Amino acid sequence: MTGIMQNRTLFGGGEIKSMRVALLAVPGSMRSALAGLTDMFWVANQVIMHNPSVNERVARDRPFFEVRIITADGQPVRDAQGRNIDSEGAFNDAEACDLIIASGMELDAHKFPADRAAVSCAAQWMKMQHAQGCCVAGACAGGFVLAEAGLLNGRHCTTTWWLYPTLLARYPLAKPVWGKALVAVDNVITTGGPLSWVDLVIHIVRTQAGDRLAKLTADMSVADSQPLSQQIYAPAGFLNAMHPLLVRAENLIRYDNPAITVEQLAEALNTTTRTLNRKMKTLVNESTKSFITRVRIEKAALLLESKGKTISQVASDCGYNDETAFRRAFTTVMGMSPGNYRARLNASAIVT
């Protein structure tokens, strides 16, 4: 991550000061996300306080992660199901924040936050706070608050897989990365999935307290210490259905010639490689080569569900003559090896 308050980590000298975390609540916010964030930070505080290497250096009168839920005016707001969310502060409170988190919220029929005026107000406040050095984060639809503030312009980011097309279309200056679970750059963090606040908290703990305490926090919460790629959950071909060109390109790769090259694909689509690359960047923010790799790996993920095929056979069916190259590509796209992916599928089948 690029510079999230690196001078405040637990590994600096002297007494450790609290990190002030503000959880943004707007009308339509998901109560579970706000409650979950407070609980996860509470678990992290317990881990830190009981760790001999740091507990003597943490100020005893307040926890390391000092978390409060805030609203624009300090008054309660209604959550996505119409229940009250109590507020512990307002935007204009005197005490500055070190980290502000916008989490999941109700969306309207156009996949836009239901209360647009509230989101616009929150966006302007977060933009001002970020300009003053505060770290800002958006989990799931909370990332739209950051996008509305212009904080994703020119920055790599992520969002929940089914919101990716919306983010790409509505905020063309943002640079979302398809399938990424968490992206952090320039004190701007985004995660994908309504429950991705778990990954977000563990990431913050890792950045501020180190890998060991982050893993212990994850273990105490029975969560993965490293976020999993969203491509494990997204339906194959979901992103490619955005545009007729992508559908045609996918069919050529998936069914006609899995080993197709960039040049061959451009020719089959009656265009030049340069034009195709430009269109791919516009439509899905990836190069033609990356698109081809992603489609091949999406096909591989489906084939791995078949117990009758070895990994070597799956690699061959997806256009890979070199199994090592296939394993490397699969791990890059899916965040785990083909063997681990198959094991995960088998484990899920047993649970079901």
Side-chain angles (χ1 to χ4, degrees), residues 140-350:
C140 191
F144 283 179
V145 183
L146 276 60
E148 192 69 14
L151 294 173
L152 302 186
N153 291 351
R155 288 190 174 99
H156 290 295
C157 57
T158 190
T159 189
T160 309
W161 61 265
W162 50 272
L163 291 176
Y164 180 96
T166 306
L167 178 65
L168 195 66
R170 188 168 292 139
Y171 303 101
L173 296 181
K175 301 173 71 176
V177 182
W178 168 249
K180 196 76 171 176
L182 185 150
V183 176
V185 60
D186 300 330
N187 270 357
V188 176
I189 313 171
T190 48
T191 62
L195 301 181
S196 64
W197 45 263
V198 175
D199 296 331
L200 176 58
V201 173
I202 293 171
H203 173 80
I204 295 296
V205 175
R206 177 178 294 107
T207 306
Q208 298 299 297
D211 290 338
R212 187 171 64 84
L213 295 184
K215 186 179 186 307
L216 186 52
T217 300
D219 291 345
M220 293 287 288
S221 307
V222 195
D224 291 312
S225 59
Q226 295 289 344
L228 298 175
S229 170
Q230 290 192 71
Q231 296 202 165
I232 296 172
Y233 308 103
F238 171 83
L239 186 61
N240 305 335
M242 287 174 55
H243 192 277
L245 174 69
L246 301 179
V247 174
R248 287 163 52 205
E250 178 185 2
N251 288 336
L252 287 166
I253 301 164
R254 189 184 293 269
Y255 304 112
D256 294 355
N257 181 12
I260 197 169
T261 65
V262 172
E263 291 75 19
Q264 289 170 337
L265 181 61
E267 183 178 358
L269 294 172
N270 298 314
T271 187
T272 65
T273 56
R274 183 176 180 180
T275 298
L276 184 58
N277 264 310
R278 187 174 66 250
K279 288 183 176 179
M280 287 292 181
K281 279 289 185 182
T282 300
L283 292 172
V284 287
N285 196 32
E286 61 186 353
S287 67
T288 306
K289 183 178 180 180
S290 295
F291 178 86
I292 291 172
T293 298
R294 177 167 59 77
V295 172
R296 293 166 82 182
I297 297 307
E298 286 180 357
K299 178 180 179 179
L302 291 175
L303 293 177
L304 284 169
E305 296 182 17
S306 171
K307 296 181 180 180
K309 286 185 177 290
T310 66
I311 291 177
S312 179
Q313 289 171 330
V314 170
S316 178
D317 288 348
C318 295
Y320 288 91
N321 295 321
D322 182 354
E323 187 178 332
T324 300
F326 166 70
R327 290 177 181 273
R328 188 184 308 116
F330 192 97
T331 301
T332 298
V333 173
M334 302 300 290
M336 62 179 68
S337 69
N340 287 341
Y341 181 80
R342 173 167 273 174
R344 188 176 184 277
L345 289 174
N346 293 337
S348 297
I350 292 174

Side-chain angles (χ1 to χ4, degrees), residues 8-147:
R8 299 190 65 261
T9 65
L10 299 184
F11 304 108
E15 184 179 75
I16 300 168
K17 296 182 179 180
S18 295
M19 182 178 185
R20 295 158 298 188
V21 181
L23 306 182
L24 178 67
V26 297
S29 284
M30 290 178 62
R31 179 194 292 260
S32 62
L34 295 168
L37 282 161
T38 58
D39 286 346
M40 281 291 293
F41 277 119
W42 178 82
V43 171
N45 281 331
Q46 299 306 301
V47 169
I48 292 169
M49 288 300 296
H50 290 88
N51 184 66
S53 65
V54 297
N55 65 1
E56 292 301 323
R57 294 165 51 213
V58 176
R60 294 293 180 176
D61 60 335
R62 57 201 309 183
F64 178 72
F65 291 109
E66 188 176 4
V67 182
R68 59 180 183 153
I69 297 173
I70 64 167
T71 55
D73 57 4
Q75 297 300 308
V77 295
R78 296 281 187 174
D79 74 359
Q81 299 181 57
R83 299 169 301 182
N84 267 354
I85 298 175
D86 291 330
S87 176
E88 300 167 298
F91 290 174
N92 60 358
D93 280 357
E95 191 172 23
C97 304
D98 299 306
L99 169 66
I100 304 169
I101 300 175
S103 52
M105 62 188 69
E106 180 185 6
L107 303 178
D108 62 21
H110 303 288
K111 297 181 181 178
F112 196 94
D115 194 322
R116 300 193 184 191
V119 165
S120 178
C121 175
Q124 293 307 309
W125 178 69
M126 291 186 79
K127 181 177 182 179
M128 180 179 65
Q129 294 299 310
H130 181 263
Q132 295 175 3
C134 180
C135 181
V136 296
C140 191
F144 283 179
V145 183
L146 276 60

